Amino acid sequence: MDTITALFYVFSAVLLGAAFRVITARSTVHSALFLILAFFNASCIWMLLKAEFLAITLVLVYIGAVMVLFLFVVMMLDINSDEGASAIREGFWKHLPLAGLVGALIALEMAAVLMGGFRLTEAAPLSEAAVKLGNTKLLGIAIYTQYLYPLQIAAVLLLVAIIAAIALTLRKRKDSRSQDASEQVKVTKAQRLRIIKMQPTVEQAATPAADNTQGGA
C-alpha cells in the first residue's frame, strides 16, 4: 500500500465519521462544525484525485461561505438546549427506515450514472493539446458543452430551492407598513377628496366700553 492509498483511506474514514456525527450530534452548532470537517476531508480526497479546482472550490464556497452562513443562522435561532433539541429531533427514529431506503436508492442511481466514469479502459486518452489546457479549462468546456442540459436543470433546482427558502422564512411583521400599487392606481377622486360645507365665520366688532364718568354724572 502506497502513501496515496493510505491517505485516501484515512480521509474517507474521517469523512464517514464526520458525516455520521452531523446527523447524530445533539447540538446544531456541533453538527455544522462536523459538516465543515466532512467538507474538508472531501476536498482532500479530491486533491488526491488531482481535481484541484473542485477541492479549492469546495473549501472556498462551501466551507468559507455556505457553512459560515449556516453557523450564523443556527446561532440566531432561539432554540432551548433541552426542549428545542428534542422538538427538532422528534420522530427521527420513526422516519429512519424510510430515510435509509431513499438514501440507498439515491446512492444506486448515482452509481448507475457515474459507473461509466470509473471504466478507465474504455476512456479515450487525452491529446497533448487537451493536457496543456489544464484541469480548470477542461472542466469548464465539459460542463458548458457536454453537460449543459444537466447544468441548466441544476440551476433551475437551485432557483426553486432559493425561492422556497425565502417563502418558508418570510414572516409578515405587524408593525411594518407597505404600499399596494394596484390599490393606489384604482383609487378615485371621491376616495381621496371630500368637500365639506362650513358656515362662514364673521368676526363681530368689539363694543366700546361704557363711559363711567358720564354714568356717574
Side-chain angles (χ1 to χ4, degrees):
M1 182 183 294
D2 54 355
T3 306
I4 296 179
T5 306
L7 290 175
F8 176 79
Y9 283 114
V10 170
F11 290 142
S12 301
V14 177
L15 173 61
L16 293 176
F20 180 75
R21 288 295 297 163
V22 168
I23 60 176
T24 57
R26 298 183 62 87
S27 176
T28 53
V29 177
H30 292 169
S31 297
L33 293 177
F34 278 116
L35 189 56
I36 293 176
L37 179 61
F39 284 154
F40 180 76
N41 285 273
S43 65
C44 292
I45 293 175
W46 278 347
M47 288 290 291
L48 294 178
L49 297 176
K50 297 182 179 180
E52 298 86 1
F53 177 74
L54 295 177
I56 297 301
T57 304
L58 183 62
V59 172
L60 294 178
V61 176
Y62 283 89
I63 299 178
V66 177
M67 290 312 304
V68 173
L69 178 62
F70 282 0
L71 287 175
F72 272 106
V73 171
V74 168
M75 291 179 181
M76 288 176 64
L77 293 177
D78 189 10
I79 300 177
N80 192 358
S81 59
D82 297 330
E83 298 179 358
S86 61
I88 292 176
R89 291 171 175 78
E90 185 178 357
F92 174 78
W93 298 107
K94 179 181 178 181
H95 301 287
L96 182 60
L98 180 60
L101 179 62
V102 173
L105 181 61
I106 293 175
L108 291 176
E109 291 177 353
M110 293 179 63
V113 173
L114 300 175
M115 191 61 68
F118 294 100
R119 298 171 184 172
L120 301 179
T121 57
E122 300 179 1
L126 295 175
S127 61
E128 295 182 359
V131 173
K132 292 180 180 179
L133 290 177
N135 191 0
T136 305
K137 195 168 184 178
L138 287 176
L139 179 62
I141 293 173
I143 287 177
Y144 290 102
T145 55
Q146 185 178 359
Y147 298 100
L148 182 60
Y149 184 66
L151 179 66
Q152 296 295 329
I153 295 177
V156 172
L157 291 177
L158 289 175
L159 178 61
V160 172
I162 292 173
I163 296 175
I166 295 174
L168 290 175
T169 57
L170 185 62
R171 297 291 185 271
K172 187 176 180 181
R173 297 180 55 181
K174 296 181 179 179
D175 55 347
S176 63
R177 296 180 180 181
S178 60
Q179 296 180 353
D180 192 355
S182 61
E183 295 294 334
Q184 292 179 349
V185 171
K186 292 186 296 185
V187 71
T188 60
K189 183 181 70 173
Q191 295 175 349
R192 294 295 186 185
L193 180 63
R194 186 173 61 177
I195 300 176
I196 300 176
K197 294 183 179 180
M198 300 179 62
Q199 296 295 330
T201 58
V202 179
E203 297 182 358
Q204 296 180 0
T207 56
D211 192 357
N212 296 330
T213 55
Q214 293 179 1

